C-alpha cells in the first residue's frame, strides 16, 4: 500500500489549543505514514507522488476517543434515567457477563468494530471485559480494521456479580497471559484496565502495578466520576486522602505509567495537582456525565491548570459513539457550568473542542492528532455538501456545521498513513 501521497482540499487543524489553522485548497503530504507538511502548491520533490483531490471537502485530523466500553455498545441509549452505581448493576454487569460466550463476544465486537471503523474516530482507548479470549478477539478485529487502539482486559475481584468476578490470583494470571499474547499485534496495544477502585482489592492493584513495571504498559480506569462512588472509595480505602491515591500508591497513576482517567468530575485541587505533576490524561465524557447524573466536569479549570485533556464517548454511559457529538456536548456543558456553577469558568469554543478531540487526546498515543510535520498521518475527509444552506460560509463556519449537523461519517478516512475507506 502506498505510504507517500498527498490529499488536496480544505485543511483544518489546531496546532495550539483554541487556535484554528485554516488552509483552503492546500496539499497535505503524507511521507511514509507521517505528515510532511501542508503546501499551497506541491513541492518539486513530491511532483510524482499520488494526489487525491477532494475538491471543496474538509480535511481534519482523525478524532480520538479516550474512553469507550466496546462491550457496552449493545445497550447504548438504555437506562439513561439511572445514576451510575444503579446503572452498572442493571445494565453494565449483566451485559458484560455474556462475553464469557465466544460466539456472543464475536458478534457483539463485530458490530462495535464496524461502527468504529466508519466513524470519524481513528484511535481509541477501549475497555473490553474480564474475559481474556473475548478481549483478544476484539483486538484481532480492530487490527484487521486498521485501527491503532489501546484495548484493556478488565480486572474485577470484588463488589461485582459472581458471573463477572475473578479471584485475585486468576485475574492476575489471566492478565499476564493476555499481555504475553498481545505481543502478536502490531497496531493494537494492550492497556491495563482495573475497572475502578471499588471493584479491585489492594492485592489486585498491587499485582497490576508489578505487571505494569514488568511489561511497561499503559493504564486506564475511572476517577471521581460520581459523589456516591467517591464516598465508597473513601470507605474502602480509609488510608487515602483522595480517590487518585487509591491508584498512585500502586504506581498506577502517571509518571512511569502512561495513564488515562475517565471523568474526574469531582476531582479536588490536591488530586488535580497530582494528576498534572504525573502527566495523567483526563478523558472528559460530557454526555455520560449528564446521562448518569454525575455532574459537569470543570474543563476550563483543567485547561487553565495545564492538565492533559481529551474527549471520550464513554459508550454506553454516553449514547453516541461520535466524538463530534462529544465536542458539542462539551461546549454545551461548559456553558451550563459557566451560567449555573462558576461564572469565572468561561465556555469552551469550537477551536478548543476540536483541539481536545484531536491533538489533546492524541498526545496519549504519541505525536498524533495534528497536521504539523512529524505527526502520524491520521485524517478524515468530511463532505458538507449534504448540509445545504443559502449562506456563504467561511471554512470555520463550515467546520462548525459539520460538527453540529453531520451524521459524523467521513467521506474518507486514514489512520497511521493507511486509507481505511
Amino acid at each position: 500500500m502506498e505510504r507517500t501521497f498527498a490529499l488536496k482540499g480544505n485543511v483544518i487543524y489546531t496546532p495550539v489549543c483554541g487556535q484554528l489553522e485554516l488552509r483552503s485548497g492546500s496539499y497535505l503530504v503524507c511521507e511514509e505514514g507521517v505528515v510532511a507538511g501542508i503546501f499551497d502548491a506541491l513541492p518539486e520533490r513530491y511532483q510524482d507522488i499520488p494526489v487525491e483531490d477532494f475538491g471543496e471537502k474538509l480535511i481534519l485530523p482523525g478524532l480520538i476517543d479516550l474512553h469507550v466500553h466496546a462491550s457496552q455498545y449493545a445497550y447504548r441509549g438504555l437506562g439513561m434515567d439511572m445514576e451510575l452505581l444503579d446503572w452498572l448493576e442493571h445494565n453494565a454487569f449483566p451485559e458484560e457477563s455474556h462475553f464469557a460466550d465466544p460466539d456472543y463476544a464475536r458478534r457483539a465486537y463485530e458490530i462495535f468494530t464496524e461502527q468504529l471503523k466508519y466513524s470519524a474516530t481513528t484511535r481509541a482507548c477501549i475497555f473490553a471485559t474480564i474475559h481474556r479470549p473475548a478481549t483478544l478477539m476484539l483486538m484481532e478485529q480492530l487490527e484487521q480494521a486498521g485501527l491503532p487502539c489501546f484495548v484493556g482486559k478488565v480486572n474485577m475481584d470484588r463488589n461485582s456479580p459472581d458471573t463477572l468476578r475473578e479471584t485475585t490470583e486468576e485475574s492476575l494470571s489471566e492478565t499476564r497471559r493476555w499481555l504475553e499474547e498481545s505481543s502478536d499485534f502490531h497496531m493494537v496495544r494492550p492497556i491495563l484496565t482495573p475497572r475502578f477502585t471499588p471493584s479491585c482489592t489492594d492485592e489486585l492493584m498491587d499485582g497490576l502495578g508489578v505487571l505494569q513495571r514488568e511489561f511497561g504498559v499503559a493504564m486506564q480506569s475511572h476517577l471521581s466520576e460520581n459523589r456516591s462512588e467517591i464516598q465508597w472509595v473513601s470507605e474502602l480505602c480509609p488510608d487515602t486522602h483522595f480517590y487518585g491515591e487509591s491508584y498512585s500508591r500502586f504506581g498506577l497513576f502517571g509518571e512511569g505509567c502512561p495513564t488515562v482517567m475517565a471523568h474526574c468530575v469531582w476531582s479536588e485541587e490536591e488530586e488535580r495537582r497530582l494528576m498534572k505533576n504525573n502527566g495523567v490524561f483526563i478523558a472528559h465524557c460530557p454526555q455520560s456525565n449528564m446521562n448518569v447524573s454525575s455532574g459537569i466536569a470543570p474543563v476550563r479549570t483543567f485547561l487553565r491548570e495545564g492538565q492533559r485533556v481529551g474527549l471520550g464517548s464513554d459508550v454506553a454511559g454516553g449514547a453516541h459513539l461520535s466524538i463530534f457529538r462529544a465536542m458539542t456536548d462539551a461546549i454545551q456543558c461548559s456553558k451550563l457550568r459557566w451560567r449555573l456553577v462558576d461564572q469565572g469558568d468561561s465556555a469552551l469554543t469550537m477551536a478548543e473542542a476540536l483541539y481536545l478531540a484531536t491533538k489533546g487526546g492524541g498526545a496519549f498515543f504519541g505525536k498524533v492528532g495534528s497536521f504539523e510535520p512529524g505527526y502520524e498521518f491520521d485524517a478524515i475527509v468530511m463532505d458538507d455538501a449534504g448540509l445545504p444552506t443559502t449562506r456563504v460560509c467561511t471554512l470555520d463556519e463550515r467546520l462548525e456545521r459539520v460538527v453540529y449537523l453531520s451524521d459524523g461519517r467521513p467521506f474518507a478516512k486514514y489512520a497511521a498513513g493507511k486509507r481505511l475507506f
Side-chain angles (χ1 to χ4, degrees):
M1 182 179 293
E2 189 67 52
R3 297 269 287 164
T4 299
F5 55 87
L7 309 184
K8 186 173 186 288
N10 296 307
V11 180
I12 303 174
Y13 68 107
T14 53
V16 176
C17 186
Q19 175 186 316
L20 277 181
E21 189 74 18
L22 305 167
R23 300 287 298 272
S24 61
S26 296
Y27 293 87
L28 173 64
V29 175
C30 172
E31 187 167 6
E32 294 301 320
V34 173
V35 175
I38 304 170
F39 307 95
D40 295 332
L42 206 58
E44 184 175 350
R45 67 184 182 277
Y46 297 126
Q47 287 297 319
D48 296 329
I49 69 174
V51 176
E52 185 76 32
D53 190 344
F54 288 109
E56 285 301 310
K57 296 179 179 64
L58 307 182
I59 303 173
L60 311 173
L63 306 187
I64 310 298
D65 191 339
L66 273 190
H67 183 66
V68 58
H69 295 257
S71 54
Q72 297 180 4
Y73 192 81
Y75 64 87
R76 54 196 188 105
L78 299 177
M80 299 288 90
D81 54 353
M82 300 180 191
E83 287 197 44
L84 173 65
L85 298 181
D86 288 338
W87 182 85
L88 288 171
E89 292 292 334
H90 287 87
N91 272 336
F93 294 161
E95 173 65 21
E96 291 182 26
S97 298
H98 295 318
F99 285 76
D101 177 355
D103 184 59
Y104 187 92
R106 177 187 56 77
R107 290 184 290 116
Y109 284 148
E110 282 176 352
I111 293 171
F112 172 81
T113 301
E114 178 80 358
Q115 293 299 309
L116 189 67
K117 178 177 179 178
Y118 290 100
S119 75
T121 298
T122 48
R123 303 186 188 226
C125 292
I126 303 172
F127 279 55
T129 62
I130 67 169
H131 311 97
R132 177 184 52 79
T135 302
L136 290 167
M137 191 181 301
L138 172 61
M139 296 173 79
E140 289 168 1
Q141 292 184 11
L142 292 165
E143 182 93 4
Q144 292 168 5
L147 295 166
C149 296
F150 283 104
V151 175
K153 175 207 169 302
V154 174
N155 297 102
M156 302 170 69
D157 70 340
R158 68 174 175 185
N159 295 324
S160 53
D162 292 343
T163 55
L164 205 63
R165 184 175 63 248
E166 301 168 298
T167 65
T168 304
E169 295 75 16
E170 182 183 16
S171 187
L172 290 172
S173 64
E174 284 290 281
T175 300
R176 172 178 290 278
R177 183 177 173 186
W178 163 69
L179 288 170
E180 293 169 345
E181 293 170 334
S182 295
S183 64
D184 294 336
F185 298 104
H186 301 289
M187 300 187 73
V188 178
R189 288 176 278 177
I191 183 168
L192 290 179
T193 308
R195 185 182 207 105
F196 64 165
T197 295
S199 69
C200 299
T201 62
D202 287 355
E203 292 75 19
L204 178 55
M205 288 289 206
D206 184 58
L208 291 175
V210 171
L211 289 174
Q212 192 283 322
R213 290 182 286 278
E214 180 179 345
F215 287 87
V217 287
M219 137 84 179
Q220 62 180 353
S221 195
H222 301 85
L223 180 68
S224 299
E225 178 178 2
N226 178 281
R227 282 176 161 168
S228 298
E229 169 205 16
I230 295 169
Q231 178 60 35
W232 194 10
V233 171
S234 70
E235 295 166 0
L236 291 168
C237 308
D239 54 337
T240 59
H241 297 92
F242 49 85
Y243 194 161
E245 280 194 345
S246 68
Y247 300 107
S248 67
R249 59 184 175 162
F250 300 109
L252 297 172
F253 204 67
E255 292 186 295
C257 175
T259 301
V260 174
M261 284 290 170
H263 306 296
C264 308
V265 176
W266 300 102
S267 292
E268 298 290 349
E269 185 176 352
E270 190 176 7
E271 183 167 85
R272 298 198 311 270
R273 186 183 307 116
L274 184 61
M275 293 168 67
K276 182 184 178 183
N277 290 343
N278 288 6
V280 172
F281 279 75
I282 299 170
H284 175 43
C285 307
Q287 186 174 117
S288 172
N289 294 339
M290 290 186 286
N291 285 340
V292 296
S293 305
S294 294
I296 308 173
V299 181
R300 175 61 64 197
T301 299
F302 296 157
L303 294 177
R304 185 169 56 247
E305 292 176 343
Q307 304 281 359
R308 311 188 82 174
V309 191
L311 297 179
S313 66
D314 195 22
V315 164
H320 296 272
L321 194 60
S322 169
I323 296 300
F324 284 139
R325 176 63 185 265
M327 289 171 62
T328 63
D329 287 337
I331 293 169
Q332 291 166 349
C333 281
S334 71
K335 291 178 179 179
L336 289 176
R337 185 174 180 87
W338 166 67
R339 179 62 70 186
L340 302 176
V341 180
D342 185 351
Q343 282 69 48
D345 251 2
S346 58
L348 291 178
T349 65
M350 176 56 65
E352 289 171 327
L354 181 63
Y355 180 89
L356 296 180
T358 55
K359 191 175 180 179
F364 188 72
F365 293 81
K367 295 189 76 172
V368 170
S370 181
F371 290 146
E372 297 162 79
Y375 274 68
E376 293 191 58
F377 194 93
D378 289 8
I380 53 173
V381 180
M382 301 302 299
D383 185 3
D384 59 347
L387 303 173
T389 177
T390 56
R391 184 185 180 112
V392 178
C393 294
T394 60
L395 277 186
D396 56 329
E397 289 174 335
R398 290 176 62 191
L399 167 68
E400 190 167 13
R401 296 183 83 243
V402 163
V403 171
Y404 274 93
L405 303 177
S406 76
D407 64 4
R409 294 176 71 89
F411 181 85
K413 180 174 177 177
Y414 300 78
K418 297 181 180 179
R419 185 166 181 170
L420 305 188
F421 59 86

